[in-house]
């Protein structure tokens, strides 16, 4: 489960965006509010990335209309479990049992360019760089089978922020292994850099992930 600022960092959406999308029911977090915090699932993050990717070319109203039409068509699946893409005319489409249904011009079928790139790094419409979802940094990984997808040091179950906090407290990256034997200096540096990126998103900014 991801608190809002982690979901924002992994998706490329700003905190303001995901709050607005939540309030307007474009995307309601699967886990809802737990102990006073809104928590997002891995599937929520995939959906958020899809929206950010689509917004490279289309306004929010375009996405909202597609989501509303999905509901009208009786689809109750999580948005991230669907195959979404763009038809040649620019409309968002949904794969339904082998056919593609236009979510703006309902009933229209077409050849689809499915968004296979949503997990890879990409630039937003504002020019911000969104991290690779599986590898937000070289030595960090996101795997829904490991700690429900919370970012960890690659090959371990050590959460990135546990390592980053050591570095922030003055522990040299090359000495982090004294606390976590499996964490290299390079991995500790990556954890600290990713924490800096998270802090930017938490502060309401959407910086470059370079």
């Amino acid at each position: 489960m991801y608190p809002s600022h982690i979901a924002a960092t992994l998706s490329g959406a700003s905190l303001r965006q995901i709050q607005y999308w939540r309030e307007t029911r474009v995307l309601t977090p699967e886990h809802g509010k737990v102990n006073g915090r809104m928590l997002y699932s891995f599937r929520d993050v995939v959906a958020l990335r899809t929206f950010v990717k689509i917004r490279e070319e289309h306004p929010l109203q375009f996405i909202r209309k597609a989501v509303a039409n999905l509901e009208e068509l009786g689809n109750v699946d999580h948005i991230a479990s669907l195959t979404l893409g763009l038809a040649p005319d620019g409309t968002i489409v949904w794969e339904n049992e082998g056919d593609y249904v236009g979510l703006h011009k309902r009933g229209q079928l077409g050849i689809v360019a499915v968004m296979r790139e949503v997990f890879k790094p990409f630039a937003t419409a504002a020019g911000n760089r969104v991290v690779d979802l599986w590898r937000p940094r070289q030595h960090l990984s996101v795997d829904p089978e490991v700690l429900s997808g919370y970012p960890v040091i690659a090959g371990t179950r050590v959460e990135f922020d546990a390592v980053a906090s050591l570095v922030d407290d003055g522990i040299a990256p090359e000495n982090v292994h004294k606390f976590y034997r499996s964490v290299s200096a390079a991995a500790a540096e990556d954890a600290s850099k990713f924490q800096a990126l998270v802090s930017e998103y938490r502060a309401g900014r959407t910086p470059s992930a370079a």
Side-chain angles (χ1 to χ4, degrees), residues 3 37 65 107 126 130 137 157:
R37 292 197 307 172
K65 184 177 179 181
V130 181
R137 291 200 70 88
R157 297 177 66 85

Side-chain angles (χ1 to χ4, degrees), residues 47-68:
L48 289 170
R49 286 178 70 97
T50 301
F51 295 156
V52 172
K53 181 73 173 172
I54 291 173
R55 285 212 68 191
E56 289 181 43
E57 299 181 8
H58 298 289
L60 175 61
Q61 187 61 30
F62 189 86
I63 299 171
R64 289 174 62 183
K65 184 177 179 181
V67 172

Side-chain angles (χ1 to χ4, degrees), residues 25-27 51 62-72 79 103-104:
R25 295 185 63 235
V26 172
L27 180 75
F51 295 156
F62 189 86
I63 299 171
R64 289 174 62 183
K65 184 177 179 181
V67 172
N69 283 346
L70 268 174
E71 294 177 352
E72 288 181 23
I79 191 75
L103 297 182
H104 291 83

Side-chain angles (χ1 to χ4, degrees), residues 7-8 11 13 17-32 38-52 60 63-64 67-68 71 77-81 84:
S11 67
Q17 282 178 312
I18 63 177
Q19 179 182 354
Y20 183 68
W21 292 346
R22 183 172 70 243
E23 292 173 350
T24 55
R25 295 185 63 235
V26 172
L27 180 75
T28 302
E30 282 194 289
H31 298 300
M38 197 63 67
L39 295 178
Y40 289 77
S41 68
F42 179 79
R43 297 200 302 176
D44 290 332
V45 169
V46 173
L48 289 170
R49 286 178 70 97
T50 301
F51 295 156
V52 172
L60 175 61
I63 299 171
R64 289 174 62 183
V67 172
E71 294 177 352
D77 293 334
H78 191 286
I79 191 75
S81 67
L84 297 178

Side-chain angles (χ1 to χ4, degrees), residues 163-182:
V163 173
S165 65
L166 290 176
V167 178
D168 291 346
D169 286 342
I171 303 298
E174 60 268 23
N175 291 328
V176 168
H177 73 90
K178 295 179 181 179
F179 299 84
Y180 297 103
R181 295 180 61 185
S182 57

